[in-house]
Amino acid sequence: RDGALAGARDIIAESVSEHPEVRGELRDLFARRAVLVSRVVKKRQAEAAKFRDYFDWSETLSRAPSHRILAILRGGNEGVLRVHARPAEADALTRLRRRFLRGHGFATEQVDQALHDAYKRLLLPSLEREALKAAKARADEDAIRIFVTNLRELLMAAPFRNRRLLAIDPGFPTQGKGGREEAARVLRDLVRRFAPEAVAVGNGTGGRETETFTQDLSLDLPTIMVDESGASIYSASDVAREELPDHDLTVRGAVSIGRRLQDPLAELVKIDPKSIGVGQYQHDVDQTALKVALDDTVVSCVNAVGVDLNSASASLLAYVAGLGPTLAKNIVSWRNQHGAFRTRQELLGVPRLGRKAFEQAAGFLRIPDGSHPLDASGVHPERYAVVEAMAKDQGCSVADLLRDEERRSGIVLDRYLGEGVGRPTLEDIMEELARPGRDPRPAFEAFSFADVHAIGDLEPGMVLPGIVTNVTAFGAFVDIGVHQDGLVHVSQLADRYVKDPNEVVRVRQQVQVRVLQIDLERKRIGLSMKTTARATS
């Protein structure tokens, strides 16, 4: 009899667990009321220090922020946290009983046991996996959105363009008095020979010390600290070896530091976006979705700024719409063999670059001193005839039209409407004629840290200038020049309530912060931007 009853209960449990309406109702319960719980695995507590905040944690899963979900799931994947996400068992069983139990008696008791078994053995594990998977997908989406926003700000940071720089990778400190004297002699000689307009110093190990060293030399040049995240990865990359085959890693690193000050976009496209120090839990999110989003962002930024056809690297050209790595390399090879491009039309002579690729890419490629004045602008070659007609009607050349606002003001756009040329296209052309080849990035603003160089120099209450290096769902990290970024928690970003840190701060923004607390043991710095520590830009 017991065996028969057990078999009957198993059949009922299987039937209940496969009932689509039951799963739908319980899935909704998990979505609304599941509680995310994490507990430390006791025998692995020593190696779980970075998850200390989640040793005994619980919160409603639907309200958990993306960074916390990803952190807890990482701890679970590493085997140092036990992670669950489930509603109260009584709530789930109440729904099952309401649907299946009728009356009282022995049979009802057997069905009730089957419902318990169906829930705990069959429904709970699968629904919990579904709930965590859905929460992970939501967290991934938020994390990718944050990463994309940060990357865009970083790529579109102000360039220090067309400036001669003396770039220094401070990774290997100069030792002893003799070494410092020799370094001083070399730097002064380089300044005398090449007349740079600024000194670019990487902000890694030894960066602040190198900054002080160069300033003490009275070179009469500004010293600009440059975020060197990913520079070492570039130095050892195939791209770096191709670009600088006759130099070692340290020289390549210094070159990259200087270039990323001159043009952050052109240099940072050579590095995997996941290696440049922005975003949160980027190695935990869906890597395919992340790559697509980041690649789309880089393409968007490159095309918004435009690319100098005669100086751009293959890495930069590869992100121009219609090109890609192969055509980019072919363009560089053509340039090396034939010299600088004189017109955009010469692109059609590049191997494998056909008419379709030309149509997609040409408008984003610039030739500053080309044969045709519009080759330096964002006007597509297909629209040159329209501009030439405008110039003819104004009794001037295209070059005159670009220079003379009064002549442009006499243009009546409706005269040039035609097949494939609507008013929005004409308005875009007029905007481009007013600012040919315009760079949408902001103007460069110099920045200097305060006279603090190490975390031990900090005291609560200090108000310091800083640069935002990363924005996350829980706040912003700020470089204040002590080799350890401080955290402005979202609750400290402004005097008002802030839901999304991106409402208040952006990567590379210059801010004023107040030191709240210093944890020397854990190398953590708490900062505030409230009231007396507001953003300056």
Side-chain angles (χ1 to χ4, degrees):
R1 177 187 174 186
D2 290 344
L5 288 173
R9 290 195 300 269
D10 285 344
I11 293 172
I12 294 172
E14 292 284 350
S15 177
V16 168
S17 72
E18 294 172 0
H19 195 293
E21 291 182 7
V22 167
R23 296 191 74 89
E25 184 177 1
L26 291 183
R27 186 177 291 115
D28 179 68
L29 177 66
F30 271 73
R32 291 185 294 108
R33 297 190 184 179
V35 176
L36 178 63
V37 175
S38 66
R39 300 285 185 267
V40 66
V41 176
K42 295 295 185 182
K43 63 181 180 181
R44 303 193 62 184
Q45 186 165 336
E47 58 191 286
K50 63 183 178 181
F51 299 103
R52 186 182 307 169
D53 294 340
Y54 308 116
F55 281 7
D56 187 14
W57 184 268
S58 66
E59 67 180 313
T60 302
L61 180 62
S62 62
R63 297 176 185 171
S66 60
H67 67 275
R68 201 139 60 222
I69 291 172
L70 292 173
I72 288 173
L73 290 180
R74 178 189 286 181
N77 291 334
E78 292 184 10
V80 297
L81 296 179
R82 288 193 177 89
V83 180
H84 295 290
R86 55 189 64 168
E89 184 176 301
D91 289 345
L93 291 174
T94 294
R95 283 162 172 74
L96 293 177
R97 287 167 176 156
R98 188 167 56 224
R99 181 178 289 272
F100 292 108
L101 289 188
R102 298 289 183 273
H104 301 281
F106 179 78
T108 301
E109 291 176 1
Q110 294 299 310
V111 172
D112 193 35
Q113 290 181 44
L115 294 180
H116 272 86
D117 180 47
Y119 178 69
K120 298 196 72 171
R121 180 170 59 86
L122 302 173
L123 287 166
L124 173 59
S126 64
L127 290 173
E128 184 172 53
R129 285 193 298 271
E130 285 184 23
L132 286 173
K133 183 178 179 180
K136 171 69 162 50
R138 171 170 62 85
D140 283 2
E141 187 176 328
D142 284 349
I144 291 172
R145 175 184 57 80
I146 290 169
F147 200 152
V148 162
T149 300
N150 288 343
L151 180 62
R152 182 177 298 278
E153 293 291 347
L154 195 60
L155 294 177
M156 297 297 282
F160 198 56
R161 300 185 77 173
N162 304 318
R163 310 292 183 92
R164 186 182 293 112
L165 298 176
L166 172 60
I168 303 174
D169 182 349
F172 294 88
T174 302
Q175 300 292 338
K177 181 179 178 181
R180 293 176 66 85
E181 290 177 350
E182 175 62 14
R185 185 194 65 76
V186 170
L187 287 178
R188 289 194 177 100
D189 182 57
L190 289 172
V191 170
R192 178 185 59 79
R193 290 168 56 200
F194 298 105
E197 298 176 61
V199 179
V201 177
N203 70 342
T205 303
R208 292 304 308 281
E209 293 79 3
T210 302
E211 177 192 37
T212 300
F213 177 67
T214 60
Q215 290 172 341
D216 289 345
L217 295 179
S218 300
L219 299 174
D220 196 26
L221 292 172
T223 298
I224 302 172
M225 301 299 294
V226 180
D227 187 344
E228 62 176 48
S229 298
S232 60
I233 293 175
Y234 163 80
S235 300
S237 69
D238 291 339
V239 172
R241 282 190 286 271
E242 289 175 11
E243 291 184 337
L244 302 165
D246 300 325
H247 298 285
D248 64 17
L249 296 177
T250 56
V251 174
R252 293 174 192 160
V255 171
S256 182
I257 288 166
R259 284 175 175 171
R260 67 172 60 187
L261 176 58
Q262 291 174 320
D263 193 333
L265 176 61
E267 190 64 16
L268 291 175
V269 295
K270 302 172 186 176
I271 304 170
D272 182 345
K274 290 185 291 185
S275 301
I276 57 179
V278 297
Q280 60 177 41
Y281 297 101
Q282 56 262 39
H283 298 289
D284 297 288
V285 304
D286 183 316
Q287 295 300 293
T288 300
L290 177 62
K291 178 172 173 48
V292 169
L294 295 181
D295 284 350
D296 287 348
T297 301
V298 177
V299 169
S300 173
C301 291
V302 170
N303 293 333
V305 171
V307 173
D308 186 330
L309 183 56
N310 285 323
S311 65
S313 66
S315 300
L316 183 59
L317 287 166
Y319 284 104
V320 173
L323 298 183
T326 299
L327 288 179
K329 289 181 179 179
N330 290 351
I331 288 172
V332 173
S333 295
W334 190 99
R335 201 169 64 196
N336 291 337
Q337 293 173 17
H338 302 281
F341 286 89
R342 297 182 300 276
T343 71
R344 283 167 164 167
Q345 290 296 329
E346 289 182 333
L347 280 165
L348 292 170
V350 173
R352 300 181 65 181
L353 200 158
R355 174 61 61 177
K356 184 176 181 181
F358 177 80
E359 290 174 357
Q360 289 181 277
F364 303 114
L365 299 169
R366 311 278 192 265
I367 306 177
D369 301 311
S371 301
H372 197 295
L374 291 179
D375 281 348
S377 75
V379 178
H380 196 281
E382 292 180 339
R383 303 295 178 233
Y384 284 9
V386 175
V387 179
E388 288 163 356
M390 292 176 175
K392 182 178 179 181
D393 291 346
Q394 294 301 310
C396 67
S397 67
V398 170
D400 292 334
L401 203 60
L402 290 167
R403 287 191 294 264
D404 193 335
E405 182 180 355
E406 186 174 348
R407 290 183 187 274
R408 293 195 303 273
S409 66
I411 295 173
V412 179
L413 293 185
D414 290 346
R415 292 180 183 173
Y416 308 99
L417 293 171
E419 186 176 351
V421 183
R423 192 169 184 87
T425 298
L426 292 172
E427 289 173 351
D428 288 344
I429 288 174
M430 292 304 296
E431 184 178 349
E432 190 62 31
L433 294 180
R435 296 178 58 197
R438 67 193 183 281
D439 191 328
R441 293 174 291 183
F444 182 83
E445 294 182 16
F447 173 84
S448 297
F449 290 112
D451 190 23
V452 292
H453 294 78
I455 191 171
D457 298 335
L458 300 177
E459 295 179 3
M462 282 183 167
V463 176
L464 304 167
I467 295 281
V468 177
T469 58
N470 195 12
V471 180
T472 69
F474 53 85
F477 289 93
V478 178
D479 182 1
I480 54 176
V482 296
H483 305 303
Q484 178 64 51
D485 290 352
L487 173 64
V488 183
H489 188 265
V490 64
S491 63
Q492 294 292 327
L493 283 171
D495 292 329
R496 62 178 177 83
Y497 170 74
V498 175
K499 180 179 181 180
D500 181 358
N502 284 292
E503 299 171 6
V504 181
V505 288
R506 64 184 186 278
V507 171
R508 303 308 299 162
Q509 182 178 350
Q510 299 180 17
V511 296
Q512 290 284 333
V513 294
R514 187 175 67 253
V515 179
L516 294 181
Q517 55 192 19
I518 307 107
D519 186 338
L520 291 175
E521 181 182 353
R522 301 173 74 183
K523 293 186 177 180
R524 292 187 177 181
I525 305 166
L527 304 172
S528 175
M529 286 171 52
K530 285 188 172 182
T531 310
T532 59
R534 289 187 182 277
T536 60
S537 63

